[in-house]
Amino acid sequence: MAPAKTRKNDNPYLSILTKTLAEQGVTVKGLPIVPAWPKASALHVHWLEFPQWGRLASRVPFWATWRMNRVIALARRNKTLGRPVLWTVHNLRPHDFKNEAHKAIYDTMCREFLPLVTDVICMSETVRDAARCAFPELRNARFHIIRHPHYKDHFARLTPRTPPELEATNLTRGPTLGTFGMLRAYKAIPDTIRAMKGLSRPFTFVIAGSGAMAEISAIQDAIGDDARFVFIPRRVSDEEILGMTQACDLIVFGFKSILNSGSVLAALSMNRPVLAPNLGAMHDLQIDLGTDWVNLYEGELTTEVIENVLRDLPPKTPLDLSPYDPSRISSQHAVLMQRGGDPT
């Protein structure tokens, strides 16, 4: 599987999938050094931009190119041997590229790898339709709908912790809202802050995560000296994310573009309702889980949208996420990896 893992405190999706696949009898290995991999019954690629991940690959395009060529070589070998070549559609394109060399590597990956894919895993019907439209290279591949696994078990093993920056904050004056994770331009956090400032009721909005200095500065400028906002501009642990999320009444996402979002599903896994734009798989998530838990808006996020959601929040009770059960989802993956065909 490529990649087979991510860094500590990153999206735990891969570790959840690897663990539950092992329970199905599937052994997951990472990208090998040499192209030959005769014992592999399947090749499963997730993010097409993953060859550029890591300290070395992000700085040295030659290393990223080498990793990309290993994936393509393995895909060609599997395709020749009649073994499955799977791709999970996490996004249609990265939100940004570090430089033109990395953009060229990604474009080559799309051009050379995608025609070799035998099975495409989409996390919703909307994602399937978008992928078919965006990638004509997949015209001969089989498409499958397999949901994103929830994170309930992952967070249940953790002990929630309140960041020291938040300990002295009074969170009892009105609702508490939050957004946590990497600070990226496409999340439009400064725009969310400006919409929040129009609320007439008392509230606290907690923002936490690491990011580029330009994004941190934009968020700080949007906040100004407004004491209703708490900004923690650093990498936060999963234990801190759990503690902050449990303190919130609503988790807010102001994405300008999105296909799938592990962050949205993570918030729901911690039994907190979300507010997000009606983009990508968010519509399918709302159909599965209901409008009380998945609040969607059209166009720009406005003060009125936020106010309307705050008037009718669901009680802090467990959310039924059985359609996103990791064991069920891994068994669907296992069917594709072991023999191909329809996992449903």
Side-chain angles (χ1 to χ4, degrees):
M1 191 160 69
K5 61 181 180 179
T6 56
R7 296 174 300 176
K8 185 179 185 295
N9 287 336
D10 282 348
N11 185 333
Y13 166 85
L14 290 177
S15 60
I16 292 172
L17 184 59
T18 299
K19 178 180 179 295
T20 51
L21 279 172
E23 295 168 357
Q24 301 289 334
V26 176
T27 300
V28 175
K29 294 185 177 181
L31 184 68
I33 298 298
V34 294
W37 199 6
K39 293 183 179 180
S41 60
L43 171 65
H44 187 184
V45 172
H46 289 272
W47 295 267
L48 295 181
E49 64 271 27
F50 96 90
Q52 304 168 28
W53 291 0
R55 186 170 298 177
L56 180 60
S58 65
R59 291 168 170 78
V60 183
F62 173 81
W63 179 245
T65 301
W66 184 89
R67 295 173 76 188
M68 176 195 70
N69 287 334
R70 293 284 71 76
V71 173
I72 294 171
L74 283 168
R76 288 192 178 122
R77 179 183 178 86
N78 267 38
K79 189 76 175 283
T80 300
L81 294 174
R83 297 172 180 174
V85 178
L86 292 78
W87 176 45
T88 292
V89 187
H90 291 273
N91 56 32
L92 299 180
R93 196 168 182 81
H95 294 291
D96 48 50
F97 293 98
K98 187 169 184 178
N99 52 48
E100 285 299 316
H102 281 170
K103 181 179 182 298
I105 292 168
Y106 176 83
D107 290 342
T108 302
M109 184 76 170
C110 291
R111 185 174 62 252
E112 299 295 330
F113 171 75
L114 289 181
L116 302 171
V117 172
T118 61
D119 295 89
V120 182
I121 297 174
C122 302
M123 296 181 183
S124 78
E125 292 76 5
T126 300
V127 173
R128 176 197 59 200
D129 296 344
R132 279 177 168 162
C133 182
F135 299 109
E137 299 93 338
L138 298 172
R139 65 177 64 88
N140 295 321
R142 298 180 289 264
F143 281 74
H144 312 275
I145 307 296
I146 301 179
R147 293 291 192 248
H148 189 304
H150 66 62
Y151 299 130
K152 278 183 174 291
D153 297 336
H154 171 76
F155 287 109
R157 293 192 296 269
L158 304 179
T159 300
R161 187 160 65 89
T162 302
E165 298 95 331
L166 198 59
E167 287 178 351
T169 303
N170 189 342
L171 299 180
T172 62
R173 298 175 181 173
T176 299
L177 305 91
T179 191
F180 314 119
M182 288 294 295
L183 308 176
R184 306 280 294 278
Y186 79 91
K187 296 183 179 181
I189 295 174
D191 291 343
T192 302
I193 292 167
R194 285 186 277 271
M196 291 269 187
K197 284 189 170 185
L199 293 173
S200 57
R201 65 167 69 201
F203 70 90
T204 301
F205 185 38
V206 184
I207 306 154
S210 61
M213 279 308 303
E215 190 63 22
I216 291 174
S217 296
I219 293 170
Q220 290 172 331
D221 290 344
I223 293 174
D225 59 359
D226 195 325
R228 296 174 297 178
F229 298 87
V230 179
F231 185 29
I232 306 173
R234 62 169 175 82
R235 176 179 282 271
V236 285
S237 68
D238 284 357
E239 289 81 1
E240 289 176 312
I241 290 175
L242 176 59
M244 290 185 292
T245 301
Q246 289 180 342
C248 287
D249 301 287
L250 178 70
I251 308 300
V252 182
F253 300 93
F255 304 125
K256 292 299 183 184
S257 64
I258 199 67
L259 187 66
N260 301 289
S261 174
S263 297
V264 171
L265 196 54
L268 293 165
S269 298
M270 291 178 271
N271 300 308
R272 290 300 179 268
V274 300
L275 172 61
N278 189 9
L279 298 173
M282 301 302 102
H283 174 69
D284 305 278
L285 197 64
Q286 187 184 65
I287 291 174
D288 286 346
L289 303 178
T291 56
D292 287 344
W293 289 93
V294 182
N295 299 273
L296 301 181
Y297 63 89
E298 302 288 345
E300 298 295 320
L301 179 60
T302 64
T303 303
E304 182 181 9
V305 166
I306 301 168
E307 188 67 66
N308 288 340
V309 173
L310 290 176
R311 288 195 190 103
D312 193 24
L313 291 173
K316 292 183 178 180
T317 55
L319 170 62
D320 179 13
L321 284 172
S322 54
Y324 298 81
D325 176 66
S327 296
R328 175 175 175 269
I329 287 164
S330 66
S331 68
Q332 294 174 309
H333 279 82
V335 170
L336 290 179
M337 291 177 177
Q338 292 170 333
R339 61 178 175 80
D342 189 352
T344 58

